[in-house]
Amino acid sequence: MFTGIVEEIGNVLNVSKQSNNVRLKIAANKILEDMEIGSSISINGVCLTAVKFKKGCFEVDVMEETLQKTNLSSLHTGEKVNLERALMPTSRLGGHFVMGHIDGVGIIKNIIQKNGSKVWTISFAKSLTDFMVSKGSIAIEGVSLTLVYVKNTEFTVALIPHTLSNTTLGHKKAGDKINVEVDIISKHIKKFITGNTNEKITKHFLAETGFNN
């Protein structure tokens, strides 16, 4: 589980094809401080597992299904990526609960400059509409943001100068594809309301949404 507060911008050192999968080698510093083999790392909002690391870099394997459902398939050597370590029980929750499980790939339709900030309009799959609400939370490329408005298959978000400077979002342009993850709590609420599930509020549900001991 993550918070959507990016800790560091990494640099892709190598992209190697391995059958239907891909191995990424990424340069980083801060997130390596307490890394172990098996550590979960959010890369552009995608939860991946560190399989190898040494001073200054680490490696992860990206499975075929992840390549199909995210924009990681288009990563290339030299590209910048957003990095965040998994949430610790003692961490401050500065963003919202981000699982690292991408729900879809959106497309930036328009970018408006506004007093040093930027307002993005993003198109997305209609199937995600029910999980978005104005002033609600959304994770884009692993960055926790607030939805300004949602209408049909478009939504807007405002990015402050700090976010533009400390994540890869400042380098995005109209037409780019971005990873989108909706709020996990909205998914559970939707299921409860529609009655399409027999799930109840269990210890597992509370742990998944961050309300654990």
Side-chain angles (χ1 to χ4, degrees):
M1 184 180 292
F2 307 90
T3 67
I5 304 300
V6 173
E7 296 184 88
E8 181 178 4
I9 295 178
N11 185 53
V12 179
L13 297 177
N14 188 53
V15 179
S16 58
K17 184 80 172 177
Q18 299 181 345
S19 185
N20 294 324
N21 305 326
V22 164
R23 174 164 290 197
L24 301 176
K25 185 177 183 179
I26 299 173
N29 291 299
K30 183 176 181 179
I31 67 164
L32 297 177
E33 293 172 358
D34 56 358
M35 180 175 285
E36 299 177 352
I37 298 298
S39 292
S40 293
I41 303 294
S42 171
I43 300 176
N44 283 354
V46 183
C47 180
L48 296 171
T49 301
V51 296
K52 186 177 180 180
F53 71 95
K54 60 181 180 180
K55 185 177 181 180
C57 66
F58 70 98
E59 298 180 21
V60 294
D61 289 328
V62 188
M63 301 295 101
E64 182 179 10
E65 181 180 3
T66 302
L67 293 171
Q68 293 174 350
K69 294 185 176 181
T70 72
N71 64 5
L72 295 190
S73 59
S74 63
L75 283 181
H76 54 79
T77 301
E79 190 163 352
K80 306 294 184 183
V81 291
N82 294 321
L83 302 175
E84 181 189 354
R85 288 170 290 187
L87 176 65
M88 295 179 65
T90 57
S91 298
R92 293 184 178 88
L93 184 61
H96 70 286
F97 296 119
V98 178
M99 308 304 293
H101 305 152
I102 302 304
D103 294 299
V105 175
I107 299 176
I108 303 173
K109 294 191 64 177
N110 188 35
I111 298 177
I112 298 175
Q113 299 276 354
K114 198 170 185 180
N115 300 323
S117 299
K118 291 183 179 180
V119 177
W120 287 7
T121 299
I122 299 170
S123 62
F124 62 98
K126 186 175 178 59
S127 59
L128 298 181
T129 302
D130 291 341
F131 305 109
M132 298 185 190
V133 61
S134 297
K135 310 307 178 186
S137 295
I138 191 84
I140 296 177
E141 295 288 289
V143 181
S144 176
L145 297 171
T146 300
L147 291 158
V148 177
Y149 81 82
V150 182
K151 184 177 181 180
N152 298 323
T153 57
E154 290 184 0
F155 67 86
T156 61
V157 290
L159 295 93
I160 62 175
H162 176 82
T163 302
L164 295 170
S165 299
N166 291 279
T167 72
T168 62
L169 300 190
H171 303 287
K172 298 295 183 182
K173 58 186 183 301
D176 284 352
K177 294 181 179 180
I178 44 95
N179 293 322
V180 175
E181 179 188 335
V182 299
D183 189 349
I184 182 66
I185 297 177
S186 70
K187 292 182 182 180
H188 285 289
I189 292 174
K190 174 66 161 50
K191 275 194 172 184
F192 292 144
I193 291 176
T194 57
N196 292 329
T197 179
N198 293 320
E199 293 182 27
K200 297 180 180 180
I201 299 179
T202 63
K203 288 184 178 180
H204 174 73
F205 166 72
L206 293 174
E208 187 177 9
T209 51
F211 295 97
N212 50 351
N213 292 330

